[in-house]
Amino acid sequence: MRETVFSSCKLVGIEWVQLDDFVSPAFDECNLYYCNFIGLKLKKTRFFKSSLREADFSQAELAESNFAECDLTSARFNGTNLTKADFRGARNYVIDPVGNKIRGARFSMPEAQGLLAGLGVVIE
């Protein structure tokens, strides 16, 4: 699956890690609930306006990826490379800035408060 674009698709519970040859995918306005992207190299992947509830991105390479306007409720980022990723307009994410690489990533307010949740910081 090279340079595949998924548009307005319902792709629930897929174990994407089983695809060895998954290069440059794009997801536009897709439902990707419960998907597993653990350890995948998905640099510059577009997840634009998609719902990624409970998706697992642990140990994935997502540098320069686009999560703009995504719903990331309960998505997992552990040891994930998010360098220069775009999270502007994304919502419901909790990303630990210590346990993930986020240098140069772009976030918007007020959702950027999700970066502090992993540090135990309370904002009132």
Side-chain angles (χ1 to χ4, degrees), residues 29-88:
E29 299 184 47
C30 291
N31 179 340
L32 297 160
Y33 290 14
Y34 311 108
C35 285
N36 183 350
F37 298 94
I38 295 174
L40 289 178
K41 292 181 171 94
L42 297 171
K43 187 175 182 180
K44 297 184 180 180
T45 298
R46 185 176 70 228
F47 295 96
F48 184 67
K49 288 188 177 181
S50 293
S51 183
L52 296 152
R53 291 180 179 206
E54 297 193 44
D56 195 341
F57 295 103
S58 298
Q59 306 299 318
E61 167 63 52
L62 292 163
E64 300 179 58
S65 290
N66 185 344
F67 292 92
E69 299 186 45
C70 288
D71 178 4
L72 295 161
T73 301
S74 299
R76 288 175 295 286
F77 298 94
N78 298 304
T80 307
N81 185 349
L82 299 167
T83 305
K84 296 184 181 178
D86 186 351
F87 287 90
R88 290 176 294 169

Side-chain angles (χ1 to χ4, degrees), residues 1-6 21-26 46:
M1 296 177 64
R2 294 186 176 272
E3 300 181 25
T4 305
V5 177
F6 298 93
D21 198 18
F22 195 48
V23 180
S24 301
R46 185 176 70 228

